[in-house]
């Protein structure tokens, strides 16, 4: 499934993308920090086993991994993300025994049904091959009452200049940013994915230029 959904990229491309992600997101992470702090505070005391899909370089770990006893299972199809994610886990104070990184895709999660308390996914539904299959998998692995915390960039409003440029640049974005789509209506997909409740908000981040607006929130199984 990993190879079918995310055919292996050349080594240099995976390393290039991982290192660019690691170095280029600093101002974005600074701007979104307030939103993330508030969002991830919902996990405190409620989530011992957390799955992060498309964990990348691990920029979210600092918000939730330091809580006592938390086990984090991070998946990503890019093997070059592992060293960055491990370093981020260590920096967040997560003991190495409580962190596992697995090469996998979110469309076929290597976990059993109802096995995690929370799923975290930021800027990842833009990149998966199949959004609906991913959301189905997120619901499958969450325990009843479990939380799905998300931050995603979505298509701008139809008819806006931003939407026009997103449409024009979408193919280039997919090539340079490992399959990232600019024009997905991800908020709608999450709202219609069959969660028992979805609390969804919108934000526009000046550091993200074309990658706007964002939807962020919590879906409850
Ligand atoms: C824009 S990066 C975001 C990384 C990280 N979540 C963050 O917020 O910085 C997208 C991530 O999704 C991963 N990805 C791509 N296709 C995926 C898939 N089918 N399943 C899970 N992760 C995927 C990429 O390798 C990359 O790490």
């Amino acid at each position: 499934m990993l190879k079918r959904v995310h055919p292996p990229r050349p080594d240099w491309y995976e390393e290039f993308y991982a290192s660019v992600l690691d170095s280029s997101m600093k101002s974005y992470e600074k701007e979104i920090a307030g939103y993330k702090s508030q969002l991830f505070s919902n996990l405190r005391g409620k989530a011992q086993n957390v799955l992060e899909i498309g964990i990348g370089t691990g920029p979210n770990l600092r918000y939730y991994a330091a809580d006592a006893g938390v086990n984090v299972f991070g998946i990503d199809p890019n093997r070059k993300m592992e060293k960055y994610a491990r370093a981020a886990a260590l920096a967040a104070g997560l003991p190495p025994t409580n962190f596992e990184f697995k090469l996998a895709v979110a469309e076929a999660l290597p976990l059993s049904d109802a096995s995690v308390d929370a799923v975290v996914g930021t800027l990842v539904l833009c990149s998966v091959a199949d959004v609906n299959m991913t959301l189905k998998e997120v619901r499958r692995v969450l325990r009843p009452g479990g939380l799905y915390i998300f931050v995603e960039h979505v298509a701008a409003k139809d008819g806006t200049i931003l939407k026009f440029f997103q449409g024009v640049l979408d193919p280039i974005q997919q090539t340079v940013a490992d399959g990232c789509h600019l024009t997905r209506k991800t908020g709608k997909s999450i709202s219609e994915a069959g969660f028992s409740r979805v609390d969804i908000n919108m934000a526009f981040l000046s550091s993200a230029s074309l990658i706007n607006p964002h939807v962020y929130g919590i879906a409850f199984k």
Side-chain angles (χ1 to χ4, degrees):
M1 191 67 176
L2 171 64
K3 282 195 180 136
R4 192 152 62 80
V5 171
H6 192 93
R9 284 44 167 162
D11 243 30
W12 69 263
Y13 183 89
E14 294 206 329
E15 180 58 58
F16 170 75
Y17 185 52
S19 67
V20 168
L21 205 59
D22 189 53
S23 59
S24 68
M25 298 293 279
K26 304 246 184 308
S27 56
Y28 170 85
E29 287 299 334
K30 209 168 164 194
E31 191 178 357
I32 202 161
Y35 298 95
K36 284 191 174 178
S37 295
Q38 204 186 352
L39 208 48
F40 286 113
S41 68
N42 290 287
L43 291 183
R44 213 151 293 144
K46 291 197 199 107
Q48 200 183 1
N49 294 313
V50 181
L51 162 70
E52 182 153 351
I53 55 170
I55 189 167
T57 59
N60 300 318
L61 291 162
R62 74 186 77 142
Y63 296 100
Y64 67 87
D67 298 348
V70 170
N71 296 304
V72 181
F73 188 75
I75 68 112
D76 203 290
N78 181 341
R79 73 193 71 238
K80 302 296 181 182
M81 298 294 180
E82 181 170 2
K83 60 178 181 291
Y84 296 101
R86 281 201 183 283
L90 263 184
L94 184 69
T97 45
N98 292 30
F99 180 68
E100 193 176 340
F101 178 98
K102 190 138 192 154
L103 218 52
V105 286
E107 290 89 338
L109 292 170
L111 287 170
S112 46
D113 298 358
S115 58
V116 298
D117 304 307
V119 175
V120 170
T122 64
L123 309 184
V124 63
L125 294 184
C126 55
S127 297
V128 299
D130 190 323
V131 174
N132 292 334
M133 205 190 283
T134 296
L135 291 168
K136 204 169 159 200
E137 279 292 89
V138 168
R139 277 182 52 220
R140 181 184 68 76
V141 301
L142 273 176
R143 66 158 167 80
L147 282 66
Y148 166 42
I149 297 222
F150 58 89
V151 179
E152 297 289 346
H153 66 88
V154 298
K157 247 188 173 164
D158 287 342
T160 59
I161 293 188
L162 180 56
K163 179 69 187 294
F164 171 77
F165 280 112
Q166 286 177 338
V168 171
L169 295 171
D170 200 29
I172 299 171
Q173 173 77 0
Q174 286 173 45
T175 307
V176 297
D178 202 7
C180 168
H181 293 70
L182 293 172
T183 55
R184 286 187 170 166
K185 298 188 170 167
T186 305
K188 190 168 183 286
S189 304
I190 295 171
S191 299
E192 294 173 356
F195 289 98
S196 66
R197 188 178 120 203
V198 180
D199 295 344
I200 193 162
N201 309 277
M202 266 208 162
F204 198 96
L205 300 173
S206 58
S207 58
S209 61
L210 273 183
I211 300 175
N212 264 309
H214 281 53
V215 292
Y216 66 96
I218 309 180
F220 300 82
K221 178 165 171 183

